[in-house]
Amino acid sequence: MSPEGAGRADTRARRALVPPRYGDSIAELLPSVLGALGLPGEEDVLGLPPARRYLVLLVDGLGWNLLRGHRAQAPFLGWLSEQGRAITVGAPTTTATSLTSLGTGLPPGRHGIVGYTSRVPETGALLNALSWDQPVDPLTYQPHPTVLERAASSGVAVSMVAPRRFRASGLTQAGLRSPGFRAADTLGERVAAASAALRRSTCSLVYVYDGDLDTTGHAQGCGSAAWRHQLVHVDRLAEQLHDELPDDAAIVVTGDHGMVDVAFADRFETDGRADLLDGVEVFGGEARMRHLYTRAGAAADVAAAWSAALGPDATVLERATAVAQDWFGAVESRVLPRIGDVVVCVTGDTAVMSSRRFPQENRILGLHGALTAEELLVPLLAAPA
């Protein structure tokens, strides 16, 4: 945090910490779709409308609070929101974790993608789950079958409509692997590909990903005119997809996290802070939820130092406490060491930076990752044709 930011610390807004609601989260969405499609053994726990074909649109960065606050830019989604409600994503509130929960139907503690960056226990290296920049086999790192694979094995015609670069990405292979990938880089391509995919079978599931709102929010901020204009395009995309539904189909729209804008002057810089970094071996996570991997026996001291430094702007927990408080859902033994020995969840209008380790974070205004309503709540909007 700059000297100016430190001087304003007492006047910055602070948000309540909101824990994930596993059982009423993004992890239950695709399993509920299978239940709504009538597949034997599948349960629709989210109460979706029954249909023979389903289109699931995930808009990266579409938080419930952001949507409800911008109904003028999104009349179609606003209309759906009057009949819809909010669900939560998991911890942290970030794309890699949420998309893997969506794809596997599991909380982060079971699928194991526990952040934008997290430590690979076998090597000690920091894995960027979006770029998959470590030599880790995605199918070994996340071994559970995906819900899309489960649907296909039950005879559902499954398609994933997403940008071409995602076809063989490590994250796609880990969390969203499926038998049918349809490349679509533009809004028009997404509508055309989804419409064609829905009609190739009388029982189909089409997943469509749109990432432009998140990209705009990171670059310009979710309070910007650019973000509001992009939301207009998202609204039109959702309406076009709904208009293309066959009579026996339904659409559900959701997001993978919300977003908050954090002024650059209000960010907390940790480079050079020996009082905070002593005992920290690997510095991971992202700006609003850090995973700190410590030397053996150092976690308690590291947690105390960070808690004192950040004060009411963050909740700082040792791993066992974060797990006991159900931040990550049920946690498998293989996943446990991927979670930081100390987890720092920012709830104030600040962010925990390391300019040396993560210089790209100093170029983005809109951030997410923490457990606040603005970042955790996402829409569950469902409608038949």
Side-chain angles (χ1 to χ4, degrees):
M1 189 185 302
S2 70
E4 294 81 9
R8 292 194 300 269
D10 288 342
T11 62
R12 290 198 319 273
R14 297 184 180 96
R15 302 173 175 88
L17 189 146
V18 181
R21 297 194 303 260
Y22 298 113
D24 189 44
S25 77
I26 196 170
E28 286 71 50
L29 179 50
L30 287 184
S32 289
V33 168
L34 299 194
L37 288 171
L39 269 61
E42 303 288 354
E43 184 180 0
D44 174 14
V45 299
L46 296 182
L48 302 177
R52 291 304 302 154
R53 314 181 214 213
Y54 243 96
L55 189 152
V56 176
L57 170 63
L58 184 136
V59 180
D60 199 324
L62 184 64
W64 172 257
N65 287 5
L66 283 171
L67 174 60
R68 294 291 289 170
H70 293 85
R71 292 198 57 185
Q73 289 78 29
F76 176 72
L77 291 176
W79 170 71
L80 286 183
S81 74
E82 292 298 327
Q83 310 161 61
R85 61 184 181 89
I87 57 174
T88 77
V89 294
T93 53
T94 199
T95 297
T97 301
S98 294
L99 292 190
T100 308
S101 285
L102 174 77
T104 61
L106 299 172
R110 293 201 60 201
H111 62 62
I113 309 299
V114 295
Y116 166 62
T117 64
S118 59
R119 183 179 63 178
V120 180
E122 293 77 12
T123 66
L126 198 65
L127 170 68
N128 182 319
L130 291 183
S131 61
W132 211 264
D133 58 352
Q134 295 297 324
V136 177
D137 177 13
L139 276 69
T140 301
Y141 205 70
Q142 196 303 100
H144 296 284
T146 69
V147 183
L148 299 177
E149 289 177 312
R150 201 160 82 218
S153 68
S154 297
V156 179
V158 173
S159 297
M160 174 178 173
V161 178
R164 285 166 173 80
R165 67 183 186 277
F166 293 167
R167 181 188 296 272
S169 74
L171 183 61
T172 296
Q173 294 305 307
L176 286 159
R177 51 186 179 265
S178 68
F181 186 94
R182 292 177 178 239
D185 291 331
T186 68
L187 296 183
E189 286 182 317
R190 285 163 206 159
V191 174
S195 178
L198 274 175
R199 286 169 168 78
R200 74 187 180 101
S201 171
T202 57
C203 184
S204 54
L205 168 57
V206 180
Y207 162 65
V208 182
Y209 170 86
D210 183 86
D212 294 339
L213 189 70
D214 180 70
T215 300
T216 304
H218 281 310
Q220 303 295 329
C222 59
S224 67
W227 189 93
R228 293 191 295 273
H229 287 303
Q230 189 60 48
L231 182 60
V232 173
H233 292 289
V234 167
D235 190 67
R236 184 61 183 136
L237 170 64
E239 187 173 22
Q240 284 185 298
L241 289 169
H242 181 263
D243 289 347
E244 288 291 316
L245 293 178
D247 290 342
D248 59 353
I251 186 173
V252 61
V253 182
T254 192
D256 59 344
H257 55 74
M259 187 174 285
V260 296
D261 292 344
V262 179
F264 294 106
D266 287 339
R267 301 184 182 201
F268 186 93
E269 178 60 66
T270 62
D271 287 352
R273 291 288 302 265
D275 58 322
L276 299 179
L277 299 177
D278 183 33
V280 177
E281 293 184 334
V282 179
F283 186 102
E286 58 196 289
R288 286 184 58 82
M289 185 175 280
R290 289 293 179 199
H291 288 293
L292 305 176
Y293 305 92
T294 68
R295 291 196 309 266
D301 289 340
V302 169
W306 280 75
S307 184
L310 289 167
D313 278 332
T315 297
V316 182
L317 300 180
E318 292 184 56
R319 176 197 292 150
T321 304
V323 170
Q325 292 188 9
D326 208 31
W327 280 16
F328 303 95
V331 179
E332 297 181 5
S333 59
R334 66 182 180 87
V335 174
L336 193 62
R338 301 181 192 178
I339 299 170
D341 295 288
V342 175
V343 184
V344 180
C345 179
V346 179
T347 51
D349 279 353
T350 186
V352 173
M353 312 302 290
S354 173
S355 299
R356 178 176 63 83
R357 297 174 180 86
F358 299 98
Q360 75 281 4
E361 291 181 343
N362 281 321
R363 298 190 292 270
I364 58 178
L365 179 59
L367 299 172
H368 49 81
L371 302 180
T372 71
E374 288 76 11
E375 295 155 277
L376 185 78
L377 299 179
V378 295
L380 178 67
L381 313 179

